[in-house]
Amino acid sequence: MEANQQALDIELMNAYVAVENYRAQDALNFLGKLEFSKLSSDLKPVYYSISGQANVLLKNFEAGITELQEALDLLEHDPKATYLQIERVRNWIGTAYYDRSDVNQALKQHLQCLQAVINRRVVDARFRLKLYLNLGNDFLMLGNWKRALEFYRQALPLAVKGEDREDLGGLYWAIGLAYRGKHNLARAKLYLEKSTRQFKDIGELKQSARARSLLGLVMIERKEFELAEETLKEAFSLADSFKDTEKDLVALTSASANLALLYKQQKKWAQAEEWGVASLNYATELGNDMLQLSQSQAQLAEIKLALGKKDETIELFNQAVTNIERTQLASITRQIYFRYGSSLKQMGRMKEAVDIMSKSVPQDWF
């Protein structure tokens, strides 16, 4: 009996280590060797938590949220469970909603975690770092740059003190994004350069490619076109340097989209179309990232319009609005409607333009 229990503990520990290192499928494989009915009551929430996290990492969001919620329910009814155990699972539920583009639900979960920190039920420094970063990301996605920066600033000393260089690279990246949202492009560039260097120094080359792509976008916005082209091509080459099964489609989509934007800004339409098509192809390969897909479709639609390809423009914009409406990202949805309406106006289709433009205005304005 004791030997069987040891075997269960080993497989569960293997699964835990795997998911902590983002090896989601390995974690599920280890869990698959276990008989759930033989787990003790204190290990069942651990099982559900690991399985839920793995499914979220694999973008199986519904399954992941269901399992994490099961883990949370068990922990909340276990008098021996600690607040830290409970809030870690709740934080992951928020992450699952965020990754599913349901930012309002993510924020609701993360604010509940924050209450446990405010009440000093949870004081663990690493948990607070992760939570502040998540809250910053929630507010960033909702366009509240000020609140995002407030949480990132609370996270920064914890990341520096904890000497977690990967967290620090991610935090620099996030701060850069927030400053870009505030239109402080000089500070955005500064922090994104820090992020790029940090990831490169620790060998996180995929993350470095993503940060470099965003840095290139900020350079475009600063009209530093030559430097932007160099930076974005470096980002693309880095993302493309991995073997086919390990290529970073997010970085490839982003770098291609930003190169398309660069050439679009310079009215180099053939190059803009080439990179726009590449970006859309990579975004399609991503599968269920509706944000990246809709952004690539909207940008390529505008390029097609400049090339006089009006039918393709309409088709791409229709696809873009269909895809972005599958998310909860209201501000970005309005942006795409505005771009669609502007394009219809350029075509002289005024009635349709007015109808589409009306959808770009927040409902509480009326």
Side-chain angles (χ1 to χ4, degrees):
M1 186 74 175
E2 189 174 334
N4 287 340
Q5 186 59 51
Q6 276 189 332
L8 289 173
D9 291 347
I10 289 170
E11 295 298 347
L12 201 59
M13 179 56 71
N14 287 337
Y16 173 80
V17 171
V19 83
E20 284 290 299
N21 287 282
Y22 302 99
R23 294 185 289 109
Q25 191 56 57
D26 287 345
L28 292 179
N29 291 342
F30 285 123
L31 292 180
K33 298 176 184 179
L34 299 173
E35 288 186 54
F36 182 80
S37 62
K38 293 185 177 180
L39 291 174
S40 59
S41 59
D42 60 320
L43 291 181
K44 287 179 179 178
V46 177
Y47 177 100
Y48 279 124
S49 177
I50 294 170
S51 185
Q53 291 175 48
N55 273 305
V56 171
L57 292 173
L58 292 169
K59 301 189 183 302
N60 301 325
F61 297 122
E62 295 306 320
I65 291 169
T66 298
E67 289 171 326
L68 287 165
Q69 190 62 56
E70 186 68 34
L72 183 62
D73 291 343
L74 289 171
L75 288 170
E76 287 183 325
H77 289 90
D78 181 356
K80 294 182 293 183
T82 67
Y83 285 114
L84 180 57
Q85 289 175 305
I86 292 169
E87 298 309 323
R88 274 177 173 161
V89 174
R90 198 189 316 278
N91 191 37
W92 257 101
I93 293 173
T95 298
Y97 279 120
Y98 179 90
D99 289 348
R100 200 184 71 174
S101 298
D102 192 345
V103 185
N104 288 312
Q105 275 294 332
L107 181 60
K108 180 180 177 181
Q109 299 294 328
H110 291 142
L111 286 174
Q112 195 167 343
C113 293
L114 180 63
Q115 200 57 49
V117 171
I118 292 170
N119 294 337
R120 298 196 62 79
R121 291 173 176 171
V122 178
V123 296
D124 182 81
R126 182 153 184 79
F127 176 79
R128 286 186 291 130
L129 167 60
K130 295 292 188 183
L131 176 61
Y132 294 150
L133 187 54
N134 284 341
L135 281 162
N137 291 343
D138 294 341
F139 282 112
L140 185 76
M141 192 60 76
L142 292 169
N144 191 332
W145 322 116
K146 182 180 178 182
R147 290 299 306 279
L149 279 170
E150 286 173 5
F151 282 109
Y152 291 147
R153 286 175 183 138
Q154 290 184 71
L156 192 55
L158 294 171
V160 172
K161 186 176 180 181
E163 298 183 355
D164 189 321
R165 298 181 69 191
E166 186 173 355
D167 278 340
L168 194 55
L171 193 49
Y172 286 147
W173 180 348
I175 293 172
L177 269 172
Y179 275 120
R180 177 176 174 254
K182 286 171 66 70
H183 306 292
N184 188 335
L185 296 180
R187 287 211 164 204
K189 181 180 177 183
L190 171 68
Y191 278 98
L192 288 168
E193 286 174 337
K194 285 185 176 186
S195 177
T196 299
R197 287 196 300 270
Q198 188 80 348
F199 283 129
K200 184 178 180 181
D201 288 348
I202 62 175
E204 287 286 341
L205 299 184
K206 289 183 179 181
Q207 295 291 74
S208 182
R210 294 185 188 190
R212 193 179 297 271
S213 177
L214 185 57
L215 175 60
L217 175 60
V218 169
M219 289 170 174
I220 294 171
E221 292 167 341
R222 285 167 58 87
K223 309 297 183 187
E224 299 170 347
F225 293 140
E226 288 186 18
L227 192 55
E229 183 174 31
E230 178 185 339
T231 300
L232 290 169
K233 286 190 173 176
E234 286 174 357
F236 182 86
S237 296
L238 186 56
D240 196 42
S241 64
F242 299 91
K243 59 186 181 183
D244 288 346
T245 56
E246 296 178 3
K247 286 190 188 300
D248 187 350
L249 291 171
V250 172
L252 288 168
T253 302
S254 174
S256 300
N258 291 338
L259 280 163
L261 176 63
L262 170 67
Y263 294 124
K264 176 182 162 191
Q265 295 273 42
Q266 298 175 91
K267 302 189 186 308
K268 298 179 179 179
W269 299 114
Q271 289 161 287
E273 184 179 31
E274 177 188 351
W275 283 104
V277 169
S279 173
L280 181 53
N281 288 339
Y282 289 126
T284 302
E285 274 191 75
L286 271 171
N288 59 357
D289 190 329
M290 295 300 107
L291 175 60
Q292 291 261 31
L293 183 59
S294 59
Q295 295 280 46
S296 292
Q297 287 164 333
Q299 177 165 257
L300 184 56
E302 291 170 336
I303 293 167
K304 294 288 188 180
L305 178 59
L307 291 167
K309 302 175 181 180
K310 296 181 180 180
D311 290 343
E312 291 181 59
T313 298
I314 297 294
E315 182 181 354
L316 283 163
F317 265 126
N318 284 335
Q319 292 171 0
V321 297
T322 296
N323 288 321
I324 198 62
E325 283 183 343
R326 292 169 63 187
T327 75
Q328 304 294 318
L329 303 175
S331 63
I332 296 174
T333 301
R334 291 195 296 269
Q335 288 172 18
I336 289 181
Y337 273 119
F338 181 83
R339 293 166 71 180
Y340 191 4
S342 298
S343 295
L344 287 167
K345 184 178 177 182
Q346 287 183 54
M347 294 182 209
R349 298 169 67 158
M350 299 306 295
K351 184 180 183 306
E352 293 167 89
V354 170
D355 289 342
I356 292 294
M357 280 287 203
S358 69
K359 297 180 181 180
S360 72
V361 180
Q363 293 303 303
D364 56 8
W365 282 25
F366 294 100

